[in-house]
């Protein structure tokens, strides 16, 4: 499979009479864009705003991030989700870089939603503060889940994907500024030089714990809770086969933008044929029952062994209960003779005294930490709030609270906040964006 990504680098975003891209400037017809958003009758309020790095803006509750793209030759950007099923990862897709679509709740948040600061101390905690963002801020009539801590956010997430398709379509007749090419020969058809290199498989564990449909990450529109581990070409992930769900403390979340640009996959591609033989991706899942966890780990180890993997990298979207899947998978791979490295965040509790992963094993002796979800963060007020700041403390966001007897409320009267890193939108970036480093004491 050969995927070509034709990139266009956005220098600025404006509103205008038509939607088009020219000389680094993306212009959006706001009325047309809102019409696309309101195509779903459940969207009752909506606006589109533009925010840029350095703006004195705080966004909360943030629900999703998506990169605007256009699939050359037609077809949905997210097959099985926004349109009919088709194979991704082969052909050409055009992408607007250095920008994203952010979906923000106008009034209501939930456990899985997060916060982004576009400037100041808070900007360093999330990758999306570095991007020029088209912000869809909206509300729905989904009364059945308005006061639920855990929300599916379906209408808002799908509106964001439709908006990404609409804006991306302005590229369809343009010549790209840069071309990225991703191609892997079939494993049995590779040269002896490549086959003699250490072989590596990447194991992805997207969020799939919820047994009720509608919360989990989707793969070609299929709920990942309903699958067993399977082998996938990495191009499929980079080209829209996977979309983010609506279940996970937000700093642990992998947004759809992350799947579209997965840095770890791209890094493995960079090393392919030089230092490693990149075999591809084993798409696993995260489960609830112990038997389900053990079954998935056995599937992963069998697939990796059958592929001839010498080594593996395992990345989990989440922490807590998913740690059991994560460690079980590492142990199963090590038992199969496959040297394995894990990528995860950790949860030590606010006092730092808790075990960082729920489950540990001596065979899991090579783990990269991407941050502590329990880290307390204090941030000053911002001039502009997009969304509803009160949602951080009112609606059960994973890192916020109403009142703490020691720390007080998450949202203070002057607009300043205190919260756990848990609420930073995609803040830990196990996918590979993170700028965090270890510090010696």
């Amino acid at each position: 499979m050969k995927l070509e990504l034709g990139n266009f680098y956005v220098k600025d975003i404006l509103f205008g009479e038509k939607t088009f891209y020219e000389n680094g400037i993306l212009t959006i017809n706001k009325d047309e864009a809102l019409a696309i958003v309101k195509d779903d009758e459940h969207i009752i309020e909506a606006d589109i705003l533009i925010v840029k790095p350095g703006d004195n803006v705080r966004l909360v509750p943030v629900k999703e991030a998506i990169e605007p793209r256009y699939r050359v030759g037609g077809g949905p950007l997210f097959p099985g989700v926004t349109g009919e099923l088709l194979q991704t990862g082969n052909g050409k897709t055009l992408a607007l870089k250095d920008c994203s679509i952010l979906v923000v709740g106008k009034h209501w948040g939930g456990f899985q939603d997060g916060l982004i600061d576009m400037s100041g101390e808070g900007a360093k905690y999330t990758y999306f503060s570095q991007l020029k963002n088209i912000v869809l801020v909206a509300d729905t009539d989904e009364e059945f889940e308005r006061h639920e801590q855990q929300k599916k956010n379906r209408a808002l997430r799908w509106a964001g994907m439709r908006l990404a398709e609409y804006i991306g379509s302005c590229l369809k007749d343009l010549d790209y500024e840069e071309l990225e090419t991703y191609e892997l020969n079939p494993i049995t058809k590779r040269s002896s030089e490549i086959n003699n290199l250490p072989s590596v498989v990447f194991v992805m564990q997207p969020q799939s714990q919820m047994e009720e449909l509608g919360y989990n990450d989707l793969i070609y529109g299929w709920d990942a809770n309903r699958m067993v581990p399977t082998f996938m070409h990495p191009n499929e992930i980079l080209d829209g086969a996977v979309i983010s769900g609506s279940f996970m403390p937000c700093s642990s979340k992998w947004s759809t933008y992350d799947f579209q640009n997965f840095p770890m996959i791209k890094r493995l591609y960079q090393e392919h044929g030089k230092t490693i033989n990149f075999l591809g991706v084993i798409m696993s899942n995260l489960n609830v029952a112990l038997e389900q966890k053990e079954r998935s780990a056995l599937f992963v180890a069998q697939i990796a062994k059958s592929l001839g993997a010498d080594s593996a990298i395992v990345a989990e979207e989440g922490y807590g209960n998913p740690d059991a899947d994560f460690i079980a998978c590492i142990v199963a791979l090590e038992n199969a003779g496959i040297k394995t490295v894990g990528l995860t965040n950790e949860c030590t509790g606010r006092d730092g005294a808790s075990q960082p992963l729920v489950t540990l094993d001596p065979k899991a002796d090579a783990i990269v930490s991407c941050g502590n979800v329990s880290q307390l963060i204090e941030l000053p007020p911002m001039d502009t709030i997009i969304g509803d700041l009160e949602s951080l403390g009112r609606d059960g966001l994973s890192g916020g609270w109403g009142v703490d007897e020691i720390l007080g409320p998450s949202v203070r009267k002057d607009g300043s906040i205190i919260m756990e890193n848990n609420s930073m939108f995609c803040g830990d970036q196990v996918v590979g964006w993170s700028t965090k480093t270890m510090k010696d004491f």
Side-chain angles (χ1 to χ4, degrees):
M1 295 176 70
K2 180 179 180 180
L3 172 64
E4 294 181 312
L5 293 176
N7 296 329
F8 298 79
Y9 286 89
V10 177
K11 299 175 183 175
D12 201 2
I13 306 174
L14 310 169
F15 290 121
E17 294 183 359
K18 65 177 184 176
T19 298
F20 68 101
Y21 176 87
E22 187 175 44
N23 297 325
I25 308 300
L26 174 62
T27 304
I28 301 170
N29 181 313
K30 189 173 182 178
D31 290 338
E32 285 185 2
L34 283 172
I36 296 295
V37 167
K38 293 178 180 178
D39 188 53
D40 186 333
E41 63 182 7
H42 292 294
I43 305 286
I44 56 174
E45 294 182 73
D47 196 7
I48 296 174
L49 307 170
I50 297 167
V51 299
K52 303 168 187 177
D55 288 352
N56 200 270
V57 172
R58 176 165 291 152
L59 303 100
V60 64
V62 185
K63 300 173 181 292
E64 174 65 299
I66 309 156
E67 184 172 80
R69 291 184 173 185
Y70 173 74
R71 190 177 301 284
V72 176
L77 199 53
F78 304 103
V81 179
T82 58
E84 63 183 0
L85 277 171
L86 56 83
Q87 183 78 61
T88 69
N90 202 40
K92 184 177 289 183
T93 297
L94 306 179
L96 286 163
K97 310 304 290 186
D98 293 339
C99 75
S100 81
I101 290 170
L102 296 178
V103 180
V104 180
K106 189 169 185 178
H107 298 295
W108 303 100
F111 178 74
Q112 67 291 316
D113 299 336
L115 179 145
I116 297 172
D117 274 2
M118 294 301 297
S119 65
E121 175 70 12
K124 71 182 183 183
Y125 290 100
T126 174
Y127 178 78
F128 296 92
S129 64
Q130 304 173 38
L131 303 179
K132 305 161 194 74
N133 294 303
I134 303 151
V135 182
L136 168 61
V137 54
D139 195 13
T140 78
D141 66 357
E142 296 166 306
E143 294 291 337
F144 66 93
E145 67 173 10
R146 173 160 290 182
H147 299 291
E148 295 291 328
Q149 184 182 19
Q150 193 72 50
K151 295 176 171 61
K152 296 180 181 179
N153 285 327
R154 189 188 191 283
L156 294 179
R157 292 191 292 130
W158 261 245
M161 287 184 282
R162 292 196 305 277
L163 185 58
E165 288 187 326
Y166 164 73
I167 293 174
S169 68
C170 75
L171 302 174
K172 64 182 179 180
D173 296 320
L174 302 181
D175 293 328
Y176 53 80
E177 298 166 5
E178 176 195 68
L179 185 67
E180 296 179 60
T181 301
Y182 297 96
E183 185 174 16
L184 287 178
N185 289 331
I187 291 172
T188 59
K189 304 296 184 183
R190 297 180 185 177
S191 69
S192 58
E193 289 80 9
I194 290 178
N195 283 332
N196 287 332
L197 294 169
S199 55
V200 181
V201 68
F202 184 39
V203 181
M204 295 174 60
Q205 295 180 315
Q207 185 51 235
S208 48
Q209 284 182 279
M210 293 292 279
E211 295 182 342
E212 180 181 342
L213 298 179
Y215 294 97
N216 297 314
D217 295 359
L218 300 181
I219 301 169
Y220 286 111
W222 188 258
D223 193 297
N225 183 264
R226 300 299 196 266
M227 63 174 278
V228 293
T230 187
F231 183 66
M232 292 185 71
H233 197 289
N235 290 5
E236 295 179 275
I237 292 98
L238 297 176
D239 195 31
V242 187
I243 70 160
S244 178
S246 191
F247 173 73
M248 184 35 53
C250 203
S251 71
S252 303
K253 182 183 178 70
W254 297 350
S255 70
T256 298
Y257 183 100
D258 292 323
F259 284 113
Q260 292 173 294
N261 292 279
F262 220 96
M264 180 52 67
I265 290 176
K266 292 186 175 184
R267 186 73 178 94
L268 289 167
Y269 254 116
Q270 288 175 10
E271 295 301 317
H272 178 67
K274 300 174 184 176
T275 62
I276 65 169
N277 177 10
F278 180 26
L279 298 176
V281 172
I282 299 175
M283 187 64 69
S284 186
N285 51 8
L286 299 168
N287 304 282
V288 177
L290 181 59
E291 180 183 343
Q292 295 169 348
K293 297 174 187 292
E294 292 172 342
R295 181 182 297 112
S296 288
L298 291 174
F299 262 98
V300 169
Q302 176 275 126
I303 294 171
K305 192 72 173 177
S306 297
L307 292 171
D310 298 312
S311 56
I313 299 170
V314 180
E316 69 166 329
E317 182 187 5
Y319 70 92
N321 185 288
D323 293 343
D325 303 76
F326 177 67
I327 295 297
C329 188
I330 292 174
V331 170
L333 287 162
E334 288 281 348
N335 285 341
I338 298 167
K339 296 297 182 184
T340 305
V341 175
L343 307 177
T344 183
N345 54 14
E346 53 188 293
C347 179
T348 67
R350 292 181 196 170
D351 60 0
S354 296
Q355 181 170 293
L357 298 178
V358 168
T359 304
L360 291 171
D361 189 281
K363 292 180 179 178
D365 58 1
I367 293 179
V368 178
S369 171
C370 300
N372 178 13
V373 304
S374 305
Q375 178 185 357
L376 283 174
I377 298 170
E378 293 188 65
L379 298 172
M382 281 286 188
D383 291 345
T384 302
I385 303 297
I386 295 178
D388 185 354
L389 183 61
E390 295 300 323
S391 69
L392 176 64
R394 181 192 64 214
D395 297 338
L397 273 67
S398 51
W401 55 85
V403 178
D404 182 275
E405 61 182 18
I406 297 174
L407 299 172
S410 267
V411 180
R412 297 160 174 161
K413 290 182 179 180
D414 65 353
S416 64
I417 60 174
I418 181 171
M419 66 180 204
E420 292 183 0
N421 175 56
N422 248 325
S423 277
M424 278 295 171
F425 182 74
C426 301
D428 296 326
Q429 290 297 348
V430 171
V431 300
W433 300 113
S434 181
T435 58
K436 296 175 183 176
T437 59
M438 298 298 291
K439 184 176 180 179
D440 290 330
F441 289 93

